[in-house]
Amino acid sequence: MSATIDTPPAGFIAEHRVSMPTGKLVVRVRQSHLALDQLIGFAARNNARRGFLFLSKVLGKHWPVRPSVMAAMHELLAGQLPPQSGTVVFVGMAETAIGLGQGVFEAWCRRHPNQPALYLPTTRYRVGSGDVMVFQETHSHAPHQYLHVPAEPLRRLLNDATALVLIDDEVSTGNTFVNLVEACRVHSPRLASVHISTITNFMGEGASMALAQRFGLPVTHAGALDGEYEFVANTPPAVQARTNSKEGAPNTALTDTFGRLGIARPLAAPVALAQEIFASVTAGQTVLVLGTGEFLHPPFLLAHALEQLGADVTFQSTTRSPILQWGAAMHVLQFADIYGEGVDNFLYNVKPGQYDHVLICHETASGQGLTQLAQLLDARLLHFKNEGGR
């Protein structure tokens, strides 16, 4: 990777210039809780809409992360939320930030145990036959997103919401959030404020200030890093990954067990399962816990429980996001779709044989993709059917 650190312009603390296969990227940091290279790396995306990726090193998606580091980020973002009155709805953005969103929601609930709150993840999949809000993430390889409207009594929390907390790993334009807020206001007519919670904010001061006008609501924004970027694209890669061609088709393999259709409480950690697994890990052995696709938070809770028992454990997840093998994506495994929609699935920065124990946690029944990945990594498959991971 060709990258340089230059003297930053006035008002910034750092400037990074990165030459990548898909273009040239300039990143300027205005303020940050951690150094830029502790928070993110740079990757090139196989995507004509947006040829780069700020690859998070604290999210647990494309990069292996200690669960305690992820938990600390959940606490940081939850602690930045301004005091709220009334019902607060938290929304985690698919697929990358679904786990982050649920972690921030749970950290906030621990701080405010008596305040009504609801967590909803956006998703690429239709689940069941209930009502959905549809909106666009225009720069994504899979732009269609859904937000399922929960059934009663959770629907009442959505209807009564006065504050909306939107959670993502990064924000660069705010367009997706604008589309989502417009969809939410139909079901939450009492909304009085929006808070944007992201690990990194690259919108720039002007665009951030303009969000309140675009939303038509007061907006606050906090995170771990604030800055700006410029990207000049080269010709996009000729080969594109397969994306979903079944927009809107219900996925009958998915359920609402873990909050996919809304949840108003923290999930229970699978402590008994963690104890069982820890008993088979000898001193000095390493453990990787893998989430799969949008199934992120329950596997994270397992990894965190293992770490608290003393295991040398890291966490990350598979994804359907196509990234070139370059920069912060140092190794790429490609395998069949886990969710049965015929799209390519990937795992980054994990080599076969790298870990002594690999645990692949999944919400769907075992199929070709999961079997293929388990064989590649000599891994144990854990089909989560309830909060205990059984």
Side-chain angles (χ1 to χ4, degrees):
M1 180 175 68
S2 174
T4 59
I5 301 175
D6 293 345
T7 302
F12 295 90
I13 62 173
E15 179 176 283
H16 300 254
R17 295 178 176 270
V18 186
S19 295
M20 55 181 58
T22 52
K24 296 184 182 300
L25 178 68
V26 179
V27 175
R28 301 182 182 95
V29 180
R30 183 175 292 106
Q31 58 184 8
S32 181
H33 287 264
L34 295 170
L36 181 74
D37 62 358
Q38 291 181 283
L39 285 173
I40 62 171
F42 304 109
R45 300 211 314 174
N46 195 0
N47 184 339
R49 298 185 186 95
R50 187 178 181 189
F52 67 95
L53 176 72
F54 299 119
L55 191 147
S56 175
K57 296 181 178 180
V58 296
L59 182 66
K61 189 62 181 174
H62 309 103
W63 186 274
V65 186
R66 297 287 182 188
S68 55
V69 171
M70 296 172 62
M73 184 56 61
H74 300 162
E75 293 291 343
L76 172 67
L77 297 183
Q80 294 174 333
L81 182 63
Q84 304 290 332
S85 60
T87 302
V88 185
V89 172
F90 293 74
V91 178
M93 304 298 292
E95 83 177 4
T96 306
I98 284 181
L100 176 69
Q102 199 157 1
V104 172
F105 163 74
E106 292 188 357
W108 185 89
C109 286
R110 289 190 290 269
R111 294 167 181 254
H112 307 274
N114 299 317
Q115 189 165 351
L118 173 68
Y119 175 69
L120 290 170
T122 72
T123 177
R124 308 292 187 190
Y125 307 105
R126 288 292 307 272
V127 181
S129 57
D131 296 335
V132 294
M133 299 177 242
V134 184
F135 65 100
Q136 295 284 317
E137 184 181 14
T138 53
H139 67 261
S140 174
H141 65 286
H144 250 61
Q145 285 215 45
Y146 304 104
L147 191 68
H148 289 87
V149 180
E152 293 292 358
L154 297 183
R155 182 176 293 213
R156 193 172 306 121
L157 291 172
L158 179 63
N159 294 341
D160 291 343
T162 57
L164 185 64
V165 182
L166 306 178
I167 304 161
D168 209 346
D169 58 314
E170 63 101 354
V171 59
S172 53
T173 67
N175 292 334
T176 303
F177 286 152
V178 171
N179 296 339
L180 177 57
V181 170
E182 289 177 356
C184 286
R185 293 180 80 170
V186 175
H187 296 275
S188 304
R190 298 179 181 84
L191 272 184
S193 66
V194 176
H195 178 76
I196 296 176
S197 183
T198 58
I199 297 172
T200 55
N201 171 19
F202 288 112
M203 289 186 64
E205 288 183 309
S208 294
M209 293 175 61
L211 272 184
Q213 183 176 357
R214 297 179 72 187
F215 287 152
L217 291 167
V219 178
T220 53
H221 192 165
L225 180 147
D226 179 68
E228 299 178 7
Y229 78 91
E230 299 171 10
F231 182 71
V232 179
N234 296 336
T235 303
V239 178
Q240 297 288 324
R242 293 173 296 164
T243 58
N244 186 11
S245 61
K246 301 179 182 178
E247 300 288 7
N251 190 316
T252 57
L254 303 178
T255 70
D256 63 349
T257 305
F258 307 99
R260 186 177 280 279
L261 302 185
I263 192 167
R265 59 170 178 83
L267 289 175
V271 175
L273 177 60
Q275 291 171 337
E276 174 191 310
I277 293 169
F278 183 67
S280 67
V281 178
T282 59
Q285 289 188 323
T286 56
V287 182
L288 174 67
V289 176
L290 275 180
T292 43
E294 294 184 353
F295 188 59
L296 285 162
H297 193 61
F300 157 75
L301 292 176
L302 173 62
H304 199 206
L306 283 167
E307 186 180 31
Q308 291 174 322
L309 290 170
D312 180 2
V313 59
T314 52
F315 176 83
Q316 70 176 97
S317 173
T318 68
T319 178
R320 59 191 227 169
S321 178
I323 307 173
L324 300 180
Q325 186 169 331
W326 177 90
M330 295 177 288
H331 192 272
V332 181
L333 291 176
Q334 184 172 339
F335 50 96
D337 181 23
I338 288 172
Y339 285 86
E341 296 204 331
V343 302
D344 294 319
N345 278 208
F346 305 92
L347 176 64
Y348 299 101
N349 296 313
V350 175
K351 294 181 180 180
Q354 182 176 346
Y355 296 91
D356 296 303
H357 299 269
V358 179
L359 308 170
I360 302 175
C361 306
H362 55 103
E363 61 181 333
T364 59
S366 181
Q368 179 187 359
L370 285 168
T371 301
Q372 182 183 3
L373 183 60
Q375 290 173 344
L376 285 170
L377 299 177
D378 190 22
R380 175 182 173 183
L381 290 172
L382 297 176
H383 186 187
F384 277 56
K385 298 178 181 178
N386 54 49
E387 289 179 58
R390 306 293 186 176

